[in-house]
Every structure is written in structure tokens, then in C-alpha cells.
Amino acid sequence: MAQRVQGTEDLYGSYMSAWQHMEDVARELFGSYGFDRVETPAIEQVDTFVHGIGESTDVVRKEMFRVISGATLPGLLEQGSEAHLKARQRMALRPEGTAGLVRAAVEHNFVPQGGAPVKCWYGEAMFRGERPQKGRLRQFHQIGIEVLGAADPAIDAEVIVMLMQYFELLGFPREALALRINSMGDAACRPVYRESVRSFILSHKEEMCADCLERAEVNPLRAFDCKNDHCREVMADAPLAKDNLCDECASHYAQVKAYLDEAGVAYEEDPTLVRGLDYYTRTVFEVDVASAGVGAIGGGGRYDGLMELEGGRPTPGIGFAVGFERIEIALQALGRTLATPVPSCVYVAATPAQRAKVFAVAQALREAGVRTEEDYQARSLKSQFKQADKLNARVCVVLGDDEVAAGMATVRDMATHEQVQVPLDGLAAHVAGLMA
Ligand code: HAM
């Protein structure tokens, strides 16, 4: 039997309705903040991710799924490497949405001079070659937003407020959500800070794991995320970003916190929060639900240098993404779900002699906007009623021999079993009224 790829999931039934619900809530809430939906391709040139996410990140080094077309495969196999491929032939499935969106913003000049900020949201599948486990998939779904062209700390706070509002609308009680924030500094102060963390790690060489020693060279700040208990103990004394911010970054961070305080949004400052993508500058944030044990359900931050890395004009940016699968797990841990009830419908049942009439009656109901089901298996009337129950029919339209001969149909309320006779020519409008 064919099987799905490990770490991927099929979305169907209530799971599909859960994902659609997340999109619907996003469309409504983000729309009220002025965000428009965008969709970028699932495949991008590898360089889009290398430049944006950063060559030294785990996402780029270990987790990107490369895409090889049939046309380039023979050459690649012969040469044994992709070195001879042109940049445009080196492709990968997107591991996240920000780099591709910023690439699109540069390519189509989303942010014309004087037109900032531009606000976009997306709901898409992402691909990361991680070791599959609970809440960690190889194909997962994110809803994300990006604001391009605003450096004002008010937008940082606004985006975080919107994120928390989104989680609440999805059914999380506010007290279950832990919001952590930090500031990573900018091009002026971050390199100095990075160097001081590198020196710190090297001065504790003997106590750190091999991975952290490698991190010291390629991406020292990631040592804060090491799972090794001993490394964590050592890193507890490492220099912290918040103590190494330049005046501009310190003031920006203070203003973000003041706006959050004003909005009444509770947060915890976590000076070790560094995030796994290199493009971040200044504000970063993550949200998790302690009882769910799936890690962050959402996270994001500011990326004021990313537009330039993707070949555009200097343009500040900020955004976040949340993970659908982890949100559903976290909600279930709280006894809730994103799944929406199966929508109710109208079922058109008929005696064998009236079966041919069902087609036109069902069609009229659908044209009146009513979700309509019918029998295609020549079931008995009794079985049709059973089927109607299974399909969550609120109303059953019954085309019996006597009723149809009199130009009527029986409309039966499936909950109360009350029945009325309705003329066939006004049937659709009558039923649409009942279902409204
Ligand atoms: P991220 O923190 O890498 O950020 O991912 C955002 C969310 O996607 C995570 O909090 C998590 O819920 C979910 N997620 C990540 N990896 C997996 C996985 N392997 N399986 C299941 N869920 C996963 C970003 O992707 C940034 N692009 C967010 C952003 C937007 N920053 C600025 N703008």
C-alpha cells in the first residue's frame, strides 16, 4: 500500500476544517488591521533562503529540501554535485515564508517610495527536513504576516497585540499563553555582541559540547538554545543582548515594551531568546503553551536588513508566523479544538417514482445558497433518512408520490420531526429561509 512521506500529514475531515478555520479567522482579523493575502511559490531559488535566512542556520544547512528537476538531474548525477548548476537551477522548497515574500516584494516593488508600510498575510505549507516527532513535521502549515516599510516601535507592539488577539480568537485562554520577547540589536551593536558571546564560549571551551564549539564559529548566539544541560548552565552566565544594545536599539526596545504595557499585554523578557533565523534585528518574540509540550506555537520579529539581503532598497520589516499543527495539539491539550462542526445541510429524499425530480429540486436549493445532499445509491426512503442524519441534515425535503402529484413537497425538521407541505415552486426560497 502506498504511504505518505514520514513527517507529512493529510488534511481531511475535521482536520481540514480546523485549517480552514485558522485561515478564516486570519482573513477576518488581519483584514481589520489592513493586511492583504499574498501567496508566493513553494519553490524558490536556494539563494533566496541562503541570503535571507542565513548560511549558518540549521534551517539552511540541514533542513532545506532541495528540488531537482528531471532536466537537471542527469547532469547532476554525472557531475556528482550541483556546483555546475546555474543559480536559477538550484531550487528548494520554502522552509518558511518571510524570505520568499521579501524576494517577491523586491521583485514587484511592493513598497514603492512613499507607499510604506505594506502589510501582507499568508497561509501556506512549509517544508523542513527535521526529524519528525510530535509537533515537528517535514511539511507543516503556517499562517504568517509581514509588515514592510515601518521601523516605528508602535508597529512591533501592534503586531504582537494582533498575534495575541489571534490566539485568543482561535480559542486559547490568554492565561495559557506565554509570550517571551527580546531585542537582538542591529547591524551596529549585534556584531560586537556576537563576538563577546563567541569569546565567552571559547573561554569555557572545556565545559561546552562539540556542537556549541562549532556554533561559536558559525553562529555563537545559537548556543543559548543548546539542549545540553551543562551548556545551558554555562550559558546562563554569558553576556546578554539586552545589556549590549546600542542607544538606538535600547530606546526602540523600551518603547516596544511601553506600548505593550499600555495595551495590557503580559510578556516575559527572555534575554536568551535568539530565534533560529539570521535575519532578525531588534525585537524578537515567541509564544508557547507550557502544558502542550510542543515548543513555540508562533514566533517572529523585526528584520530591518532583509530587503537589502534580497537585493532591494533598505526597508525595515517585521512579522510573525504561527504553526497550525502545533496550535491544534496545544488546543487539544487544553480540551479544545480548531475544528468547526460539520455544517448542516438539506437532504432531498424521494420515493423511487420521484427520484428523477430530485435533480432539479436539489439544484434549485443549491442555487439558493443551501448546502444540499441527495441519494445516488437508490436507497430506500428509510435509508435515505438515516443517511440524512449522518450528513447532519437540519431539514429533509421529501418528494413523495402524493405530494408531487399535488405540486407539493414535505419539509421535515430533522430535530423536531415537524412536517409541513410546501408548494414546489416556492420550495427553494422557503427552505433557504429555514436554513438562514
Ligand atoms: P519559525 O519560528 O521558524 O518562524 O516558525 C514559526 C512557527 O512555525 C513555529 O512557532 C512553529 O509553530 C511552526 N513550525 C516551525 N517548524 C515547524 C515544524 N517542523 N513542524 C511543525 N511546525 C513548525 C518563521 O518561520 C518565521 N518566518 C516567522 C516570521 C515571520 N518572522 C518574521 N516574519
Side-chain angles (χ1 to χ4, degrees):
M1 190 177 63
Q3 281 188 328
R4 66 184 194 274
V5 170
Q6 218 197 352
T8 67
E9 284 178 346
D10 299 306
L11 301 190
Y12 64 97
S14 60
Y15 206 34
M16 185 75 228
S17 86
W19 169 238
Q20 276 176 341
H21 180 63
M22 254 186 83
E23 289 185 313
D24 291 346
V25 177
R27 186 175 303 110
E28 190 123 323
L29 176 68
F30 303 162
S32 76
Y33 279 81
F35 285 76
D36 293 320
R37 187 166 188 167
V38 293
E39 187 165 327
T40 58
I43 334 175
E44 294 276 353
Q45 289 181 22
V46 164
D47 284 348
T48 299
F49 303 123
V50 173
H51 296 158
I53 297 170
E55 200 151 10
S56 64
T57 56
D58 281 356
V59 172
V60 164
R61 290 170 73 209
K62 303 180 190 158
E63 296 167 6
M64 262 195 323
F65 279 107
R66 298 304 193 97
V67 177
I68 300 164
S69 82
T72 49
L73 184 60
L76 221 156
L77 289 177
E78 273 161 34
Q79 307 261 339
S81 99
E82 61 168 27
H84 70 288
L85 294 182
K86 297 187 179 74
R88 65 181 160 74
Q89 292 176 312
R90 291 199 293 270
M91 297 175 285
L93 291 176
R94 62 175 167 230
E96 58 102 50
T98 312
L101 187 122
V102 168
R103 189 270 311 143
V106 172
E107 195 169 329
H108 306 292
N109 194 23
F110 278 2
V111 200
Q113 243 140 19
V118 165
K119 303 178 195 171
C120 313
W121 75 273
Y122 48 88
E124 291 166 346
M126 305 293 163
F127 308 84
R128 293 187 194 175
E130 302 198 72
R131 201 160 52 80
Q133 50 185 290
K134 184 180 163 201
R136 195 172 292 285
L137 295 159
R138 292 173 146 188
Q139 177 175 343
F140 58 99
H141 295 78
Q142 281 187 349
I143 298 263
I145 66 109
E146 313 292 348
V147 181
L148 302 175
D152 191 323
I155 199 85
D156 302 45
E158 206 167 285
V159 155
I160 295 173
V161 168
M162 185 170 88
L163 172 65
M164 301 312 278
Q165 218 179 332
Y166 185 50
F167 282 132
E168 278 190 281
L169 288 172
L170 295 178
F172 287 102
R174 180 62 74 101
E175 60 281 7
L177 299 167
L179 165 66
R180 290 174 298 127
I181 63 168
N182 190 21
S183 175
M184 307 272 300
D186 63 6
C189 54
R190 180 128 70 130
V192 183
Y193 172 58
R194 239 176 101 105
E195 186 47 38
S196 68
V197 175
R198 192 181 86 93
S199 310
F200 175 87
I201 299 173
L202 295 179
S203 67
H204 292 78
K205 234 179 184 160
E206 282 71 40
E207 302 155 78
M208 307 287 285
C209 72
D211 281 349
C212 279
L213 294 182
E214 193 193 333
R215 285 180 187 122
E217 297 309 330
V218 293
N219 205 345
L221 303 190
R222 295 299 299 166
F224 283 109
D225 271 353
C226 185
K227 302 283 175 281
N228 182 312
D229 284 342
H230 198 65
C231 293
R232 292 179 90 93
E233 265 169 45
V234 175
M235 288 305 288
D237 294 325
L240 296 175
K242 72 176 169 68
D243 303 325
N244 289 274
L245 298 176
C246 60
D247 290 348
E248 287 78 12
C249 287
S251 149
H252 191 275
Y253 188 38
Q255 289 178 73
V256 173
K257 288 185 284 181
Y259 280 122
L260 289 177
D261 293 337
E262 188 184 324
V265 170
Y267 57 85
E268 187 197 321
E269 281 187 72
D270 178 355
T272 67
L273 177 66
V274 290
R275 310 267 301 134
L277 310 158
D278 269 359
Y279 49 62
Y280 289 115
T281 52
R282 296 191 167 172
T283 316
V284 287
F285 48 93
E286 253 177 39
V287 178
D288 55 71
V289 172
S291 56
V294 282
I297 55 171
R302 180 164 277 292
Y303 45 81
D304 292 344
L306 183 53
M307 279 285 254
E308 278 172 279
L309 291 174
E310 298 291 359
R313 280 192 304 274
T315 310
I318 182 166
F320 64 69
V322 304
F324 159 65
E325 291 81 2
R326 290 194 192 174
I327 287 177
E328 181 61 5
I329 295 172
L331 277 173
Q332 285 183 6
L334 297 167
R336 297 163 192 232
T337 174
L338 282 171
T340 49
V342 179
S344 55
C345 66
V346 171
Y347 191 94
V348 184
T351 56
Q354 306 307 327
R355 194 166 303 281
K357 294 255 172 343
V358 173
F359 186 82
V361 169
Q363 224 32 52
L365 283 164
R366 289 168 187 145
E367 275 166 29
V370 177
R371 185 178 169 112
T372 306
E373 298 280 3
E374 63 191 87
D375 168 50
Y376 304 100
Q377 318 278 354
R379 290 183 172 86
S380 69
L381 206 50
K382 197 169 150 208
S383 300
Q384 289 180 57
F385 289 138
K386 271 199 199 148
Q387 175 77 357
D389 266 333
K390 265 195 210 146
L391 292 169
N392 194 27
R394 183 132 56 90
V395 168
C396 214
V397 169
V398 189
L399 303 177
D401 300 341
D402 296 343
E403 292 103 309
V404 172
M408 309 288 272
T410 299
V411 174
R412 174 183 169 122
D413 183 308
M414 296 297 279
T416 63
H417 292 177
E418 269 172 37
Q419 303 200 146
V420 287
Q421 303 262 308
V422 177
L424 276 171
D425 56 6
L427 181 72
H430 177 88
V431 174
L434 290 179
M435 298 294 286

